[in-house]
Amino acid sequence: MKKFVLIICLFAQAIFAQNSINIDRLDWLPNSHLLWVNEQDNITVYDANQLTGKKVVLNKEQLKAAGFQGKIEKLVWNKTQDKVLIFTNSKKVWRANTKGDYWIFDLVSGKGRQIGKNLDPSSLMFAKFSNDSKNVAYVYKHNIYLENIDTGKIKQLTKDGTAKIINGTFDWVYEEELNARDGFRWSPDGNSIAFWRVDATDTKYHLMMNNTDSLYSFTVPVEYPKAGEKPSSVKLGVINIASDKTNWLDIPGKASNNYLPRMEWTANNELMVIQLNRHQNEVNVYKCVANTGIANRIYQEKNNSWIDVFDSSSGMYDGFPCTIVDNGKAFLWSSDADGWMHVYKIAMDGKSKELITKENFDTCFLAYNQATKTIYTAASPTDATQRYLYETNLDTKITKRSTPNQYEGTNVYRFSPDAAFAKHTNSNINRNWNSRLISLQNHEKIYPNDADSFSAPKRDYTLEKFKVKTIDNVELDGIMAKPLDFDASKKYPLFFFVYGEPMSAVANDVPYFNSFITALIPKGYIGIALDNRGTPVFKGTEWRKSIYKNIGIINTRDQVMAAKEILKWNFIDTDRVAVHGWSGGGAVTLNLMFQYPEIYKTGIAIAAVTDQHFYDNIYTERYMGLPTENEAAYIQASPITYAKNLKGNLLYIHGTGDDNVHYKNAEVLINELVKYDKMFDLMIYPNRTHGINEGEGTSQHLANTFMKFILKYSPPGAK
């Protein structure tokens, strides 16, 4: 139920220039502060300590000589950094292009070849080197394969992979809701591979219908456990490469009633495993012996709502939530059990737990520098629309802000693996995204050499921040967009942009507003985005988790109570109030339209969950509990319950190929609106997924449909 909105600042690429070298992409090499860039198909490596020099480790002539064809999409390095895998010709699996071709190159000789050459094209996943650089492993058709680097000999390590038995990667719901994609890990000595095995045999298929790509229609099955359905059974195995023997880790608890979202090697023969119960309000950390499967619990945490073992709103996949410190004697762990998100140090034997970040504000773990014992966190002590870097010394526990004062607003850091350097991107509502390479010691800018350039955003509207307090004494942060010729003595139509669920915030101190709505602002609209309780902003545990078992209820109330205060402003035309949201925001849009028709006269909902029972079990049960335990709230939260109350102008949009929020949601809503003779507009996009961006002309058509509807039913211009 994720918000589909592009927050470009989080992924903006910096463009640097030095000595006539353009660096248009920055990617770090493992376990270092070396970085590589693709300079016209020449792979160039720089040391962050000495950017004036460069080393071309692989050139386009060598690529051509090897027969390489395609685009360099990603590099996978070996431990000694003298070999590299190039990922190319990728294809989409659910949300991301994680399937493709891999080429291996020896950076000493410059020679290369395609691995898995005789397997299906664009079909390999997550290829990576063993630490001894003797082998490469990858996933192919739900099985793990081994390929010897010298001989090219391929060995199949798992044999039971099918559409329902998934080795080395994950089913739909693990990827979508537990941010898990890469499902195997090489041991430090290169002798074993630990992997996930997902048994989705009992997980029912949701069938999507394809009516356009062949003469006869056909179904597209998606393994999709809906709210109330049991999770897929997942277990962890360790394959011994020499013997082909697999040892299964003996994790306590029924495999079909727990989740295993994370696993990582800590030593040659030990693994740390994170287990969540089905309700996701109990987490266990186990230390496991690989060759026996024995699992010893070293930490347990329980909560009255849910436990975040990783930042689910970050967009980052496969990150391990424990950072080993004190020469393997302890690990860092994040928890909001004391009312704030804080970092703790937990002894590896489980006998002690020490609070490290002690401030009365959220400190979200980002990175750890082992050499300096510095913990880096994100925090927003005074303004939840912003983000700043903070640092805490592991020994002294002294916390201070790292981001200098001149970088007001939202600050995003992409750390080198050793957390000695970072790419730093800054922006705010009046400042465009600007980037630099910094040394994290004293936050010193090392690249480029010239002064920081803070440019104004190129837009034809203004942005400002505000706060609004509701009748419930809840203060919400908001972002407001106004036309350049705004006249406070006149009344303007109002357009709300909403999301409102635990996966994303919309009131951010960044230079651009929602792209659909900003196309309308210059025509004479006011745009507003508000973050209600339950959104993942840094306002403490009570704020974020008050939405527990209340999705669709508390967020709807906060939005409408804030709207009632905003409608008191003299420059708002209360007869022209519109609202738009996508996915979870689409559900909020429908709830607002159906429950408060006296306020919201026009609405556009895209890919909305219309009944809470229809969404997947991991997300829905995490925030709502199981349907059998909370059925009344499931009904109260669902827009379908109130569809009969529609009075305003509704445009509903959905793609029939949406594997996330299924088209079923649209048809059930349509039936309910027809039942009560409610008139509405509808736009269906055949075979488009949740983003509705596939196919020639789709994005432009969607934008035009959006604008045409609003201009008709909520006319622009001040009066």
Side-chain angles (χ1 to χ4, degrees), residues 386-570:
Q386 301 178 332
R387 291 289 185 275
Y388 295 101
L389 183 67
Y390 277 69
E391 60 183 79
T392 303
N393 182 271
L394 181 62
D395 291 336
T396 67
K397 303 174 188 61
I398 296 174
T399 297
K400 64 179 181 179
R401 175 170 150 168
S402 301
T403 307
N405 291 334
Q406 68 262 35
Y407 301 117
E408 179 187 359
T410 298
N411 295 275
V412 179
Y413 293 81
R414 187 175 181 186
F415 294 84
S416 62
D418 61 3
F421 295 83
K423 172 188 168 183
H424 169 219
T425 302
N426 163 261
S427 70
N428 60 43
I429 59 172
N430 296 312
R431 178 187 293 172
N432 225 335
W433 297 297
N434 54 91
S435 298
R436 61 207 50 80
L437 190 63
I438 64 166
S439 168
L440 286 161
Q441 186 174 7
N442 300 321
H443 205 284
E444 178 186 2
K445 187 178 81 161
I446 60 172
Y447 194 77
N449 291 329
D450 55 353
D452 284 319
S453 176
F454 298 137
S455 62
K458 294 181 179 179
R459 64 188 187 213
D460 48 5
Y461 57 92
T462 65
L463 285 179
E464 62 184 67
K465 297 193 291 185
F466 68 95
K467 295 179 183 293
V468 59
K469 184 170 287 188
T470 73
I471 194 173
D472 301 320
N473 201 35
V474 176
E475 186 176 72
L476 281 67
D477 286 296
I479 300 291
M480 177 161 44
K482 293 179 178 178
L484 295 177
D485 60 353
F486 172 74
D487 184 345
S489 67
K490 296 182 179 180
K491 292 187 179 295
Y492 291 80
L494 178 59
F495 205 154
F496 286 101
F497 169 53
V498 297
Y499 179 66
E501 296 199 1
M503 295 304 296
S504 188
V506 295
N508 302 305
D509 196 353
V510 293
Y512 298 100
F513 199 69
N514 173 267
S515 59
F516 284 129
I517 297 176
T518 52
L520 292 159
I521 302 300
K523 299 179 182 297
Y525 290 87
I526 302 294
I528 283 182
L530 297 162
D531 280 329
N532 50 259
R533 286 175 291 174
T535 50
V537 296
F538 291 171
K539 289 186 174 183
T541 307
E542 183 179 355
W543 174 276
R544 289 189 298 275
K545 294 189 174 179
S546 60
I547 202 169
Y548 184 58
K549 295 190 176 181
N550 279 291
I551 278 188
I553 301 171
I554 198 171
N555 46 347
T556 298
R557 179 170 178 83
D558 277 1
Q559 288 286 334
V560 74
M561 292 301 112
K564 286 183 176 181
E565 298 301 318
I566 291 169
L567 264 57
K568 296 176 183 178
W569 298 350
N570 291 333

Side-chain angles (χ1 to χ4, degrees), residues 43 101 195 481 519 566 662 684:
I43 304 302
D101 295 327
F195 70 102
I566 291 169
H662 302 140
I684 301 302

Side-chain angles (χ1 to χ4, degrees), residues 124-166:
L124 306 189
M125 303 177 73
F126 311 119
K128 43 189 171 285
F129 293 96
S130 59
N131 278 349
D132 58 12
S133 295
K134 293 180 180 179
N135 298 292
V136 171
Y138 47 79
V139 175
Y140 172 68
K141 292 186 175 180
H142 293 167
N143 277 310
I144 301 173
Y145 286 73
L146 184 77
E147 185 163 337
N148 184 271
I149 291 174
D150 292 332
T151 67
K153 182 179 178 180
I154 296 175
K155 177 181 179 181
Q156 186 175 344
L157 298 180
T158 63
K159 309 294 197 304
D160 60 347
T162 65
K164 286 287 191 176
I165 303 296
I166 304 166

Side-chain angles (χ1 to χ4, degrees), residues 9-46:
C9 72
L10 298 182
F11 306 100
Q13 293 180 347
I15 299 179
F16 304 111
Q18 185 172 5
N19 293 339
S20 301
I21 301 171
N22 290 324
I23 300 178
D24 59 5
R25 183 181 178 188
L26 183 157
D27 278 303
W28 299 103
L29 275 69
N31 305 316
S32 69
H33 49 256
L34 300 176
L35 57 97
W36 71 270
V37 293
N38 178 6
E39 297 177 336
Q40 298 179 334
D41 287 340
N42 296 295
I43 304 302
T44 306
V45 172
Y46 294 84

Side-chain angles (χ1 to χ4, degrees), residues 209-218 687:
M209 181 67 71
N210 187 319
N211 285 311
T212 63
D213 291 346
S214 66
L215 181 61
Y216 288 91
S217 301
F218 61 92
N687 297 329

Side-chain angles (χ1 to χ4, degrees), residues 14 40 64 81 163 169-170 213 259-260 300 316 360 372 392 404 417 419 433 435 493 501 506 529 571 639 714:
Q40 298 179 334
K64 184 177 180 180
Q81 300 171 5
T169 184
F170 298 93
D213 291 346
Y259 300 110
L260 298 172
Q300 182 181 71
M316 302 298 291
N360 290 325
T372 62
T392 303
W433 297 297
S435 298
E501 296 199 1
V506 295
F571 56 87
S714 187

